[in-house]
Amino acid sequence: MTDSQAASRVLARTEGALGRLTLNRPEAINALDAEMIGNLTETLTAWRDDTDVQIVLIDGAGERGMCAGGDVRALHGQIVAGQAERTAEFFRAEYALNAMIAEYPKPVVAYADGITMGGGIGLAGHAAIRIVTERSKLAMPETRIGFTPDVGGTWLLGRAPGRFGEYFGLTGSTMNGADAVYLGFADHFVPSDRLEALSEALAFRADPTGPSEIVLLFDETPEPTQLPASREWIDEAFSAPTVTEIVARLRRQGTTDAVATADLLEGLAPTGLTVTLDAVREAREMSGLRAALEGEYRRVLWFVNQHPDLVEGIRAQLVDKDRNPKWDPSTLAELAPDAGAPARNYVPQPALF
């Protein structure tokens, strides 16, 4: 093994034909900060033309997960300090990295082992070969802090079967490994105790030569996902044109799951829910990941610069931890008729790409 350029929070090294990038901030479940994004981008740029690196592997240190998301506490501090331009720089760098992974000329393999949420989906969800395990917990939980899914999450959500994209986008619910494969967030299920053997095979095995064929030697069939059994009621409710009507349909269904989902939605930020519904449906009709990232960038910077719910949501969940956010407005009934329009039409400067 040879050490290549590495920062303390990103370990970059080569093992045989494998270029290996390990997020190394386990005390924060490898939450991404600007320096980590910069190191990942710089290393991937260097490896692009390095003939010794034939496959890239992205994983996370520690037992808890690959990546819990972006460092939103740091973003909160920047916004309240009037440094919104630094926040915009962070998102531009992060989204450029997401696009780079999706478009990388060499196969990128990602281990979404354990908690992989938000910004972690931006790394793992766009890799060429996406692996989950029995420990995987995937989610786009941004609505829980009054925000909206980004890092290309709307692109993935928009391509999930039926209306599961709306359901998981709005509720921020967690997927297990089998769910993630079913929903199109992952490709293969490999038991966690076989990941190191898989890594060694990717690095040193000459036959079969393709990483997809190597992964298939370790792939196993997980316990079946339970999601298809819920599709009928989710499709019926989450095909409604507005969040208000989604909640109304859930109430009319009256089942335990539907009522619990309605209760959850009514406790989340009305604006974030409306913007998210609009974003997932817009991304469903888009031509590619970059277009979806641009749609997310508009909405994210609208929240950063124009709306208080992002700062309030982070405050309530992660800073003061009182779990009592004061949303603006506080109820769905108070929303304007097309409450998603200001975020949809926002023109951020500078442009993303």
Side-chain angles (χ1 to χ4, degrees):
M1 180 191 302
T2 61
D3 286 333
S4 65
Q5 135 204 16
S8 61
R9 289 183 173 178
V10 175
L11 304 179
R13 68 270 194 208
T14 58
E15 301 171 357
L18 191 65
R20 192 160 181 178
L21 289 166
T22 299
L23 308 181
N24 188 37
R25 195 185 180 191
E27 71 281 1
I29 319 181
N30 302 312
L32 293 167
D33 61 19
E35 182 180 0
M36 294 167 72
I37 290 168
N39 281 310
L40 290 165
T41 301
E42 190 172 347
T43 304
L44 285 171
T45 300
W47 283 348
R48 185 192 299 270
D49 298 317
D50 186 338
T51 55
D52 290 334
V53 175
Q54 298 174 24
I55 306 167
V56 173
L57 171 63
I58 303 175
D59 62 2
E63 294 298 313
R64 297 171 68 192
M66 176 189 177
C67 177
D71 189 345
V72 293
R73 287 177 63 101
L75 297 180
H76 176 275
Q78 291 171 3
I79 297 169
V80 298
Q83 300 172 336
E85 70 282 352
R86 289 183 60 196
T87 304
E89 290 171 6
F90 173 88
F91 285 119
R92 285 197 300 278
E94 184 177 28
Y95 299 173
L97 175 60
N98 302 149
M100 174 185 279
I101 290 170
E103 298 165 358
Y104 206 64
K106 300 175 181 182
V108 177
V109 181
Y111 291 170
D113 182 32
I115 293 170
T116 306
M117 299 183 180
I121 298 288
L123 300 181
H126 308 303
I129 302 171
R130 305 164 300 173
I131 293 170
V132 287
T133 75
E134 79 286 353
R135 306 190 300 192
S136 294
K137 296 179 180 179
L138 278 65
M140 296 300 302
E142 287 77 9
T143 59
R144 304 295 179 101
I145 56 169
F147 200 32
T148 184
D150 65 332
V151 297
T154 61
W155 173 251
L156 297 170
L157 290 165
R159 273 141 195 82
R163 298 293 178 165
F164 281 117
E166 283 92 334
Y167 172 81
F168 279 92
L170 268 63
T171 64
S173 296
T174 300
M175 316 165 197
N176 63 27
D179 297 338
V181 173
Y182 173 75
L183 293 169
F185 278 70
D187 305 301
H188 300 281
F189 182 96
V190 176
S192 59
D193 61 5
R194 303 195 72 195
L195 291 178
E196 276 308 309
L198 172 56
S199 302
E200 184 174 349
L202 290 170
F204 299 109
R205 191 162 187 150
D207 182 30
T209 56
S212 295
E213 290 78 10
I214 292 172
V215 171
L216 286 174
L217 300 176
F218 295 83
D219 183 287
E220 293 188 6
T221 301
E223 290 294 319
T225 174
Q226 299 303 304
L227 290 179
S230 302
R231 180 165 173 177
E232 184 176 356
W233 71 264
I234 286 175
D235 282 3
E236 194 276 332
F238 284 83
S239 61
T242 66
V243 179
T244 300
E245 179 59 24
I246 288 172
V247 172
R249 290 187 184 185
L250 291 167
R251 296 279 182 214
R252 286 197 296 270
Q253 288 178 3
T255 64
T256 300
D257 287 343
V259 170
T261 302
D263 290 343
L264 170 64
L265 293 177
E266 288 188 327
L268 298 175
T271 301
L273 291 174
T274 301
V275 170
T276 296
L277 182 65
D278 189 59
V280 171
R281 290 180 173 171
E282 182 182 74
R284 181 175 285 132
E285 305 303 321
M286 284 179 166
S287 59
L289 174 62
R290 280 182 176 260
L293 288 165
E294 288 178 323
E296 294 169 352
Y297 183 64
R298 294 195 304 272
R299 293 172 171 90
V300 163
L301 287 199
W302 178 77
F303 273 108
V304 169
N305 291 295
Q306 303 284 325
H307 201 278
D309 276 0
L310 172 58
V311 165
E312 174 61 8
I314 299 173
R315 181 206 65 76
Q317 294 295 334
L318 299 170
V319 180
D320 297 338
K321 299 183 180 179
D322 59 25
R323 307 292 192 268
N324 187 32
K326 307 297 184 187
W327 304 125
D328 180 19
S330 60
T331 66
L332 290 165
E334 298 171 72
L335 286 174
D338 187 4
R344 182 194 321 126
N345 299 326
Y346 187 71
V347 181
Q349 295 296 332
L352 176 58
F353 297 122

